[in-house]
Amino acid sequence: DAMVIQNPRYQVTQFGKPVTLSCSQTLNHNVMYWYQQKSSQAPKLLFHYYDKDFNNEADTPDNFQSRRPNTSFCFLDIRSPGLGDAAMYLCATSRELQAAQYFGPGTRLTVT
Amino acid sequence: DQQVKQNSPSLSVQEGRISILNCDYTNSMFDYFLWYKKYPAEGPTFLISISSIKDKNEDGRFTVFLNKSAKHLSLHIVPSQPGDSAVYFCAARPGTSYGKLTFGQGTILTVHP
């Protein structure tokens, strides 16, 4: 089945220790997104890639970076995680920017 | 500034009855609206969408209604089933080439057998 896969599902990292979250898709979609969702809040878009073009949201902290080495994979790098970065991180894809987005199961990040 | 609001944090419905989930928005530039369902420990699953050129879209048990003048949309589930119990998010995006979705906070739907 075509799908959006996120690894790992649960990640624990230490304060200030860099961490990378992974997303892959078998849908061959052009667009990949990263969202942050904190408890009881709406998902918040961090950035997206349209093909190789990176688009950062204006209020995304510099601490968050992303890489998309090919169509199938996209990574979220948090350079120096703080306690406030503990959240669920959702990856999504869409065929085009105007199309519906399909989400992965998310990675729950804990910062100790 | 919360541009998409779901004012009911939770809704409880009996199996077989109608579930009505509501969503209000403030940004008049929004022209495409989506509903997502989310089970615990899973990502949101796309349910149904509607463009601003329509006022109703139906897919099986799910119908979305859009009232542009009131900046209000609703999701109707008929008949409701226990498996529909989940968190429901509405989302909206503007009519530009940029596909950023703005989500509401979600409504927890519980369908009792």
PDB file of all heavy atoms in Angstrom, chain B residues 51-73:
ATOM      1  N   SER B  51     -14.475  22.723  -1.907  1.00  0.00           N
ATOM      2  CA  SER B  51     -13.992  23.969  -2.471  1.00  0.00           C
ATOM      3  C   SER B  51     -15.034  25.052  -2.240  1.00  0.00           C
ATOM      4  O   SER B  51     -16.224  24.764  -2.111  1.00  0.00           O
ATOM      5  CB  SER B  51     -13.751  23.781  -3.969  1.00  0.00           C
ATOM      6  OG  SER B  51     -13.649  25.006  -4.619  1.00  0.00           O
ATOM      7  N   SER B  52     -14.585  26.302  -2.233  1.00  0.00           N
ATOM      8  CA  SER B  52     -15.508  27.405  -1.955  1.00  0.00           C
ATOM      9  C   SER B  52     -16.540  27.625  -3.057  1.00  0.00           C
ATOM     10  O   SER B  52     -17.495  28.377  -2.865  1.00  0.00           O
ATOM     11  CB  SER B  52     -14.734  28.695  -1.713  1.00  0.00           C
ATOM     12  OG  SER B  52     -13.997  29.039  -2.863  1.00  0.00           O
ATOM     13  N   ILE B  53     -16.370  26.980  -4.194  1.00  0.00           N
ATOM     14  CA  ILE B  53     -17.377  27.121  -5.252  1.00  0.00           C
ATOM     15  C   ILE B  53     -18.587  26.226  -4.994  1.00  0.00           C
ATOM     16  O   ILE B  53     -19.587  26.306  -5.695  1.00  0.00           O
ATOM     17  CB  ILE B  53     -16.786  26.824  -6.648  1.00  0.00           C
ATOM     18  CG1 ILE B  53     -16.286  25.378  -6.735  1.00  0.00           C
ATOM     19  CG2 ILE B  53     -15.669  27.800  -6.976  1.00  0.00           C
ATOM     20  CD1 ILE B  53     -15.863  24.993  -8.145  1.00  0.00           C
ATOM     21  N   LYS B  54     -18.465  25.352  -3.978  1.00  0.00           N
ATOM     22  CA  LYS B  54     -19.581  24.468  -3.632  1.00  0.00           C
ATOM     23  C   LYS B  54     -20.093  24.815  -2.246  1.00  0.00           C
ATOM     24  O   LYS B  54     -19.393  25.465  -1.455  1.00  0.00           O
ATOM     25  CB  LYS B  54     -19.115  23.015  -3.633  1.00  0.00           C
ATOM     26  CG  LYS B  54     -18.742  22.464  -4.989  1.00  0.00           C
ATOM     27  CD  LYS B  54     -18.439  20.981  -4.863  1.00  0.00           C
ATOM     28  CE  LYS B  54     -18.275  20.338  -6.208  1.00  0.00           C
ATOM     29  NZ  LYS B  54     -18.064  18.872  -6.092  1.00  0.00           N
ATOM     30  N   ASP B  55     -21.297  24.347  -1.931  1.00  0.00           N
ATOM     31  CA  ASP B  55     -21.765  24.499  -0.556  1.00  0.00           C
ATOM     32  C   ASP B  55     -22.009  23.150   0.119  1.00  0.00           C
ATOM     33  O   ASP B  55     -22.347  23.098   1.302  1.00  0.00           O
ATOM     34  CB  ASP B  55     -23.020  25.375  -0.484  1.00  0.00           C
ATOM     35  CG  ASP B  55     -24.112  24.884  -1.416  1.00  0.00           C
ATOM     36  OD1 ASP B  55     -24.065  23.704  -1.831  1.00  0.00           O
ATOM     37  OD2 ASP B  55     -25.023  25.683  -1.734  1.00  0.00           O
ATOM     38  N   LYS B  56     -21.797  22.084  -0.636  1.00  0.00           N
ATOM     39  CA  LYS B  56     -22.008  20.752  -0.064  1.00  0.00           C
ATOM     40  C   LYS B  56     -21.178  19.745  -0.825  1.00  0.00           C
ATOM     41  O   LYS B  56     -21.059  19.812  -2.056  1.00  0.00           O
ATOM     42  CB  LYS B  56     -23.501  20.396  -0.164  1.00  0.00           C
ATOM     43  CG  LYS B  56     -23.868  19.006   0.308  1.00  0.00           C
ATOM     44  CD  LYS B  56     -25.355  18.750   0.097  1.00  0.00           C
ATOM     45  CE  LYS B  56     -25.722  17.315   0.426  1.00  0.00           C
ATOM     46  NZ  LYS B  56     -27.169  17.052   0.170  1.00  0.00           N
ATOM     47  N   ASN B  57     -20.594  18.805  -0.094  1.00  0.00           N
ATOM     48  CA  ASN B  57     -19.902  17.691  -0.716  1.00  0.00           C
ATOM     49  C   ASN B  57     -20.175  16.448   0.126  1.00  0.00           C
ATOM     50  O   ASN B  57     -20.092  16.497   1.342  1.00  0.00           O
ATOM     51  CB  ASN B  57     -18.392  17.956  -0.813  1.00  0.00           C
ATOM     52  CG  ASN B  57     -17.685  16.906  -1.655  1.00  0.00           C
ATOM     53  OD1 ASN B  57     -18.287  16.282  -2.522  1.00  0.00           O
ATOM     54  ND2 ASN B  57     -16.404  16.707  -1.405  1.00  0.00           N
ATOM     55  N   GLU B  58     -20.502  15.363  -0.567  1.00  0.00           N
ATOM     56  CA  GLU B  58     -20.934  14.161   0.126  1.00  0.00           C
ATOM     57  C   GLU B  58     -20.059  12.979  -0.271  1.00  0.00           C
ATOM     58  O   GLU B  58     -19.696  12.820  -1.441  1.00  0.00           O
ATOM     59  CB  GLU B  58     -22.388  13.877  -0.257  1.00  0.00           C
ATOM     60  CG  GLU B  58     -23.111  12.904   0.617  1.00  0.00           C
ATOM     61  CD  GLU B  58     -24.602  12.877   0.280  1.00  0.00           C
ATOM     62  OE1 GLU B  58     -25.070  13.774  -0.456  1.00  0.00           O
ATOM     63  OE2 GLU B  58     -25.282  11.961   0.745  1.00  0.00           O
ATOM     64  N   ASP B  59     -19.722  12.144   0.703  1.00  0.00           N
ATOM     65  CA  ASP B  59     -18.954  10.934   0.429  1.00  0.00           C
ATOM     66  C   ASP B  59     -19.392   9.870   1.422  1.00  0.00           C
ATOM     67  O   ASP B  59     -18.948   9.851   2.570  1.00  0.00           O
ATOM     68  CB  ASP B  59     -17.448  11.206   0.555  1.00  0.00           C
ATOM     69  CG  ASP B  59     -16.615   9.988   0.197  1.00  0.00           C
ATOM     70  OD1 ASP B  59     -17.180   8.940  -0.192  1.00  0.00           O
ATOM     71  OD2 ASP B  59     -15.369  10.074   0.297  1.00  0.00           O
ATOM     72  N   GLY B  60     -20.309   9.015   0.969  1.00  0.00           N
ATOM     73  CA  GLY B  60     -20.810   7.969   1.848  1.00  0.00           C
ATOM     74  C   GLY B  60     -21.540   8.551   3.038  1.00  0.00           C
ATOM     75  O   GLY B  60     -22.472   9.341   2.893  1.00  0.00           O
ATOM     76  N   ARG B  61     -21.087   8.189   4.235  1.00  0.00           N
ATOM     77  CA  ARG B  61     -21.756   8.673   5.455  1.00  0.00           C
ATOM     78  C   ARG B  61     -21.338  10.093   5.825  1.00  0.00           C
ATOM     79  O   ARG B  61     -21.890  10.669   6.764  1.00  0.00           O
ATOM     80  CB  ARG B  61     -21.426   7.730   6.619  1.00  0.00           C
ATOM     81  CG  ARG B  61     -21.952   6.309   6.455  1.00  0.00           C
ATOM     82  CD  ARG B  61     -21.712   5.463   7.710  1.00  0.00           C
ATOM     83  NE  ARG B  61     -20.297   5.295   8.010  1.00  0.00           N
ATOM     84  CZ  ARG B  61     -19.693   5.804   9.079  1.00  0.00           C
ATOM     85  NH1 ARG B  61     -20.372   6.518   9.965  1.00  0.00           N
ATOM     86  NH2 ARG B  61     -18.405   5.580   9.280  1.00  0.00           N
ATOM     87  N   PHE B  62     -20.373  10.638   5.115  1.00  0.00           N
ATOM     88  CA  PHE B  62     -19.804  11.945   5.470  1.00  0.00           C
ATOM     89  C   PHE B  62     -20.272  13.015   4.488  1.00  0.00           C
ATOM     90  O   PHE B  62     -20.172  12.835   3.264  1.00  0.00           O
ATOM     91  CB  PHE B  62     -18.276  11.877   5.465  1.00  0.00           C
ATOM     92  CG  PHE B  62     -17.716  10.852   6.421  1.00  0.00           C
ATOM     93  CD1 PHE B  62     -17.457   9.559   5.989  1.00  0.00           C
ATOM     94  CD2 PHE B  62     -17.470  11.185   7.743  1.00  0.00           C
ATOM     95  CE1 PHE B  62     -16.947   8.612   6.875  1.00  0.00           C
ATOM     96  CE2 PHE B  62     -16.961  10.244   8.622  1.00  0.00           C
ATOM     97  CZ  PHE B  62     -16.701   8.959   8.193  1.00  0.00           C
ATOM     98  N   THR B  63     -20.765  14.118   5.039  1.00  0.00           N
ATOM     99  CA  THR B  63     -21.157  15.264   4.229  1.00  0.00           C
ATOM    100  C   THR B  63     -20.571  16.514   4.854  1.00  0.00           C
ATOM    101  O   THR B  63     -20.675  16.712   6.070  1.00  0.00           O
ATOM    102  CB  THR B  63     -22.693  15.408   4.159  1.00  0.00           C
ATOM    103  OG1 THR B  63     -23.262  14.192   3.645  1.00  0.00           O
ATOM    104  CG2 THR B  63     -23.087  16.568   3.245  1.00  0.00           C
ATOM    105  N   VAL B  64     -19.959  17.349   4.034  1.00  0.00           N
ATOM    106  CA  VAL B  64     -19.448  18.630   4.519  1.00  0.00           C
ATOM    107  C   VAL B  64     -20.289  19.743   3.908  1.00  0.00           C
ATOM    108  O   VAL B  64     -20.589  19.716   2.712  1.00  0.00           O
ATOM    109  CB  VAL B  64     -17.939  18.798   4.222  1.00  0.00           C
ATOM    110  CG1 VAL B  64     -17.621  18.647   2.754  1.00  0.00           C
ATOM    111  CG2 VAL B  64     -17.435  20.118   4.756  1.00  0.00           C
ATOM    112  N   PHE B  65     -20.685  20.684   4.744  1.00  0.00           N
ATOM    113  CA  PHE B  65     -21.460  21.844   4.320  1.00  0.00           C
ATOM    114  C   PHE B  65     -20.619  23.088   4.531  1.00  0.00           C
ATOM    115  O   PHE B  65     -19.943  23.223   5.550  1.00  0.00           O
ATOM    116  CB  PHE B  65     -22.739  21.967   5.148  1.00  0.00           C
ATOM    117  CG  PHE B  65     -23.713  20.840   4.933  1.00  0.00           C
ATOM    118  CD1 PHE B  65     -23.680  19.722   5.749  1.00  0.00           C
ATOM    119  CD2 PHE B  65     -24.662  20.909   3.918  1.00  0.00           C
ATOM    120  CE1 PHE B  65     -24.577  18.677   5.564  1.00  0.00           C
ATOM    121  CE2 PHE B  65     -25.560  19.870   3.724  1.00  0.00           C
ATOM    122  CZ  PHE B  65     -25.511  18.755   4.543  1.00  0.00           C
ATOM    123  N   LEU B  66     -20.671  23.993   3.562  1.00  0.00           N
ATOM    124  CA  LEU B  66     -19.919  25.246   3.660  1.00  0.00           C
ATOM    125  C   LEU B  66     -20.868  26.425   3.525  1.00  0.00           C
ATOM    126  O   LEU B  66     -21.625  26.512   2.560  1.00  0.00           O
ATOM    127  CB  LEU B  66     -18.848  25.310   2.574  1.00  0.00           C
ATOM    128  CG  LEU B  66     -18.042  26.603   2.477  1.00  0.00           C
ATOM    129  CD1 LEU B  66     -17.248  26.842   3.761  1.00  0.00           C
ATOM    130  CD2 LEU B  66     -17.106  26.578   1.273  1.00  0.00           C
ATOM    131  N   ASN B  67     -20.823  27.314   4.497  1.00  0.00           N
ATOM    132  CA  ASN B  67     -21.590  28.563   4.457  1.00  0.00           C
ATOM    133  C   ASN B  67     -20.584  29.707   4.410  1.00  0.00           C
ATOM    134  O   ASN B  67     -20.034  30.121   5.433  1.00  0.00           O
ATOM    135  CB  ASN B  67     -22.487  28.669   5.693  1.00  0.00           C
ATOM    136  CG  ASN B  67     -23.353  29.920   5.678  1.00  0.00           C
ATOM    137  OD1 ASN B  67     -22.997  30.935   5.073  1.00  0.00           O
ATOM    138  ND2 ASN B  67     -24.483  29.849   6.338  1.00  0.00           N
ATOM    139  N   LYS B  68     -20.324  30.195   3.188  1.00  0.00           N
ATOM    140  CA  LYS B  68     -19.254  31.191   3.015  1.00  0.00           C
ATOM    141  C   LYS B  68     -19.604  32.514   3.688  1.00  0.00           C
ATOM    142  O   LYS B  68     -18.734  33.176   4.236  1.00  0.00           O
ATOM    143  CB  LYS B  68     -18.979  31.409   1.523  1.00  0.00           C
ATOM    144  CG  LYS B  68     -18.296  30.221   0.869  1.00  0.00           C
ATOM    145  CD  LYS B  68     -17.907  30.525  -0.560  1.00  0.00           C
ATOM    146  CE  LYS B  68     -19.108  30.600  -1.475  1.00  0.00           C
ATOM    147  NZ  LYS B  68     -19.778  29.269  -1.619  1.00  0.00           N
ATOM    148  N   SER B  69     -20.859  32.891   3.637  1.00  0.00           N
ATOM    149  CA  SER B  69     -21.230  34.185   4.217  1.00  0.00           C
ATOM    150  C   SER B  69     -21.030  34.178   5.731  1.00  0.00           C
ATOM    151  O   SER B  69     -20.656  35.186   6.324  1.00  0.00           O
ATOM    152  CB  SER B  69     -22.675  34.544   3.868  1.00  0.00           C
ATOM    153  OG  SER B  69     -23.549  33.553   4.368  1.00  0.00           O
ATOM    154  N   ALA B  70     -21.253  33.025   6.344  1.00  0.00           N
ATOM    155  CA  ALA B  70     -21.065  32.907   7.783  1.00  0.00           C
ATOM    156  C   ALA B  70     -19.661  32.453   8.138  1.00  0.00           C
ATOM    157  O   ALA B  70     -19.309  32.378   9.323  1.00  0.00           O
ATOM    158  CB  ALA B  70     -22.079  31.925   8.368  1.00  0.00           C
ATOM    159  N   LYS B  71     -18.854  32.119   7.138  1.00  0.00           N
ATOM    160  CA  LYS B  71     -17.499  31.575   7.349  1.00  0.00           C
ATOM    161  C   LYS B  71     -17.577  30.382   8.301  1.00  0.00           C
ATOM    162  O   LYS B  71     -16.894  30.323   9.342  1.00  0.00           O
ATOM    163  CB  LYS B  71     -16.551  32.648   7.888  1.00  0.00           C
ATOM    164  CG  LYS B  71     -16.241  33.761   6.895  1.00  0.00           C
ATOM    165  CD  LYS B  71     -15.096  34.636   7.408  1.00  0.00           C
ATOM    166  CE  LYS B  71     -14.683  35.672   6.395  1.00  0.00           C
ATOM    167  NZ  LYS B  71     -15.721  36.690   6.183  1.00  0.00           N
ATOM    168  N   HIS B  72     -18.412  29.450   7.911  1.00  0.00           N
ATOM    169  CA  HIS B  72     -18.691  28.305   8.772  1.00  0.00           C
ATOM    170  C   HIS B  72     -18.770  27.053   7.927  1.00  0.00           C
ATOM    171  O   HIS B  72     -19.351  27.062   6.837  1.00  0.00           O
ATOM    172  CB  HIS B  72     -20.022  28.525   9.505  1.00  0.00           C
ATOM    173  CG  HIS B  72     -20.435  27.366  10.347  1.00  0.00           C
ATOM    174  ND1 HIS B  72     -19.974  27.172  11.636  1.00  0.00           N
ATOM    175  CD2 HIS B  72     -21.257  26.319  10.087  1.00  0.00           C
ATOM    176  CE1 HIS B  72     -20.497  26.065  12.124  1.00  0.00           C
ATOM    177  NE2 HIS B  72     -21.284  25.530  11.215  1.00  0.00           N
ATOM    178  N   LEU B  73     -18.171  25.977   8.428  1.00  0.00           N
ATOM    179  CA  LEU B  73     -18.377  24.692   7.788  1.00  0.00           C
ATOM    180  C   LEU B  73     -18.690  23.642   8.841  1.00  0.00           C
ATOM    181  O   LEU B  73     -18.369  23.813  10.020  1.00  0.00           O
ATOM    182  CB  LEU B  73     -17.190  24.264   6.916  1.00  0.00           C
ATOM    183  CG  LEU B  73     -15.842  23.962   7.530  1.00  0.00           C
ATOM    184  CD1 LEU B  73     -15.085  22.987   6.637  1.00  0.00           C
ATOM    185  CD2 LEU B  73     -15.027  25.221   7.652  1.00  0.00           C
TER     186      LEU B  73
END
